Structure formats: C-alpha cells, structure tokens
Amino acid sequence: LGRFLKRSIFESIKYRITKLDHDLFDVIWPAVKKIPETRNVIQTVEEDFPGGVTALDYYVYDVFNEFLTPLIKDLHNINISYELPFHPPSDFIKKSSVLTAAPEPLVELNVDVHDEFVLSGNIECSRNVEGFELPLNIKIGKLESIEKIITTILMNTEFSKVVEQLNPESNQKGGSYYTLNEVLEKPSEVCALLAASGLLIALCEREEIDDFNRLHGKHWPYGRGVYLSDDKTVAVWINVHDHIRVLVSTPTDTPGEIGLAFSKISFIMKYLHDKLDFVLHEKLGHLSSRPTFLGAGIRLSLIINFPGLSRDGDNIKHLCAMRGLQYRETLSTGIARISNYQCLGVTETVCFNDFATATSNLLHLERDLSLHNSAQIATMLSNIFRRKRSSLANIDIDEKH
C-alpha cells in the first residue's frame, strides 16, 4: 500500500463511500488488519487477496480509481505509466452452441514430461452473473436465486454431456452438488475429497476473524456450495467471493499436464458463457471481488519441488518475477506454488501460453542444475579413480545424464 496510497491520494479519497456504503478501509483491510495466526484465515487472505486489497462491490474500482488503477496495473505486471488498454474479448465467447459445435481437440502439453518436479496443479476461472451484486452484499433471497440459477445449469443433463465429453474414458457421468455447510462440517467427507483432488479453496470459520463480514459476508455459509464432478477433476464453487469459481485439477499421475486442464476449463467456460451473461468492464474485463482476478479472471497454479533453485530464495523469486510468475513458499522446504500474475489486458489463451512457456523455462533451469550437480559428482569419481584407468573415467557424462 505504501507505494500507491500516498498521502495526497489518501487525503483525496479517504471520505469517499460507494453506493453500497463501502469505504476505503473496507477496500484495504486485508493489508492493514492484524490477521489472527489461524492458518485458515492467513491462507484465505494470502491466496485470494495477495495485493492486500479487496472489492466488496463493483463500484470501488471507480470510486477509488486514483488509488486502485495503478495498484491493479502493478498486480498484473502492467507498467503503471501506461494507459490501461481496453480488455480483449474472452476466448470463451463462441457464437455457436458448445454442444452443437464440432468438439475442439484437447491441448496436449505437459511441462514436466518425466514427472520429476511438478507435484500437483489446477486452473481456476471466476465470473460474476450480470444483474446481481457480489455475494458479500446481497440478501438471502438473491443468494438463493444465484445458487438456483447456477445449480440448475450444472445439474442439467446437457452439462453432464459436457463433462462426459471431457472424460470419455470414464464411466462416471455428471456430478453432485454439496452445500457449504456440508463442506465445512467436521469431519467432512466432501472436504477431504476436494482437498485430495486439489479442488479445495481457502475457507475460514466465522469465529476465526472479527472482520468476517468483510471476508465472506454476513449470511455465510448459507446460499453457497460446490459442484463436484464424478471423476473428481472439476469443481464449481458458488457464491464464495465471486458467483462462479470453476476449478480444474491436473491429472494425479501426470500433474504437469496443464494442457488437458486448460482444455477442460475452456470447454466448461464456453458452455457457461453460452448460458449466462457476466459482469464486464471495458478496461477491467470481467469484474471480481479479487483484484488479481480482473480481466480474464484466470489463475494457473502448479505446486513444484525446486531442490536446486530453492537453495537461493532471493534468486528463484527473481527468476519467477522476471517471467511473470508469482512464487509462494509452502510449508515444505523447497516446494512452492507457482502461478501467473497477469490476466488483465490479455485473453485466457495468452495467459495459458505465457504461463506454460515461463514454467517450462523454469523447470528447464531446475533440470539443468540437477544435471550439472550429477556431472560434478561423476567427474569427482573419475578423478578419484583416474590412476586405475577404470572405465568410469571414460564415461561420457553428458550422454549418461
């Protein structure tokens, strides 16, 4: 905040209020609030509001424009001195129906073909339905309306056919809908399934933070839930920060296979775009309560083991930043979550291509480093036994490694 909320900016906007009565503190509370040392709260704030700002309604982007626009550019790796361009049309908008159109071939792209470093991955895409305020602001009746509209689409046999096309080899069709109460109850079989499938999003309990209404809304967890496909690779969250949050996980046996995950989420989003109208801003793209999800509203994430590069924490963070990647450490040493920064001013396909190129490059560096270390070890062994003239000294290390 220190870089963008200068005193002159603060003085000019500090008394402003949106038409839904949200003020500047409502926008910046994730950055200035002393967060309780509860893992659920920390994870929720860090994952969904990494810039330290949130939009409790759509109007904050205009009301606090002088402050938010430069910050949003920075969050999306856009030069803050540049004029914000018009956001391009979504790749998910198609004139023909998804079901009647000829099926598009699945994208085949694995950034870790030998399954050495990538442990898991997922892609998330969020949208908000035109004609409704964000979930934080609406009353129970509106929450119920959104939940009913979306679940009716998801539980329809037509959507089951879409899911079936995405996984033709599976005998499982369609999916099931669970209320958020079912997810949050302890113990929860649904929660365990979502977590095991890499489809569980950050959630916290009402008693864990006193700013709960700003975080999840006063009617939480009512009117919210998640659709989970039978094959446990697709989850559609309803009314959690945004009206729709679609998550698709990469295959458990080939976690670097981001091409398949992107194909799946593309097919689902095209179907949803065909059925619903979403809130759209000419420059900010698809509006979201999370400023990092403006524009294309898509985040690609991989959990990666970096045994070599992680030895120098500052260096790997710099390597990621230079490639437009966000690097976030996990609780395990050397293992980090890598995700894209930018999804504003670019299409979903551009996000995917840029992320694939950047992560492939990073993994190539990690692989080179591990090979370099092996080569050093082999050379040392060769030197130790050089007087014996054993065959080890004649091994072409580059060929072997």
Side-chain angles (χ1 to χ4, degrees), residues 220-373:
W220 180 271
Y222 188 79
R224 298 158 169 94
V226 59
Y227 166 92
L228 180 63
S229 65
D230 286 341
D231 64 359
K232 311 299 184 291
T233 64
V234 176
V236 183
W237 292 86
I238 298 175
N239 285 334
V240 183
H241 295 312
D242 293 313
H243 296 151
I244 297 175
R245 295 173 63 175
V246 180
L247 268 77
V248 176
S249 59
T250 57
T252 52
D253 53 345
T254 54
E257 182 59 76
I258 60 173
L260 179 60
F262 184 71
S263 295
K264 285 186 173 186
I265 207 163
S266 297
F267 213 75
I268 291 169
M269 293 309 300
K270 285 173 184 174
Y271 181 82
L272 293 176
H273 269 271
D274 196 46
K275 298 293 180 183
L276 297 165
D277 292 323
F278 298 118
V279 180
L280 191 65
H281 186 280
E282 61 179 10
K283 290 193 173 183
L284 297 179
H286 293 283
L287 295 184
S288 169
S289 67
R290 300 168 294 163
T292 47
F293 272 81
L294 292 170
I298 193 166
R299 179 189 289 162
L300 303 102
S301 299
L302 291 174
I303 305 293
I304 303 177
N305 182 22
F306 292 106
L309 291 173
S310 64
R311 293 174 188 171
D312 187 336
D314 291 337
N315 185 43
I316 189 172
K317 288 175 184 176
H318 178 72
L319 289 172
C320 288
M322 292 295 290
R323 288 161 177 77
L325 298 174
Q326 183 187 37
Y327 178 92
R328 292 182 58 228
E329 296 174 342
T330 65
L331 297 176
S332 303
T333 305
I335 298 176
R337 179 190 292 272
I338 301 299
S339 55
N340 59 302
Y341 270 117
Q342 184 176 9
C343 61
L344 178 60
V346 291
T347 66
E348 296 86 358
T349 302
V350 170
C351 288
F352 169 74
N353 290 335
D354 288 350
F355 180 79
T357 301
T359 51
S360 296
N361 183 267
L362 203 62
L363 289 169
H364 182 74
L365 291 175
E366 179 63 49
R367 197 170 292 110
D368 281 353
L369 187 60
S370 63
L371 293 179
H372 177 66
N373 289 341

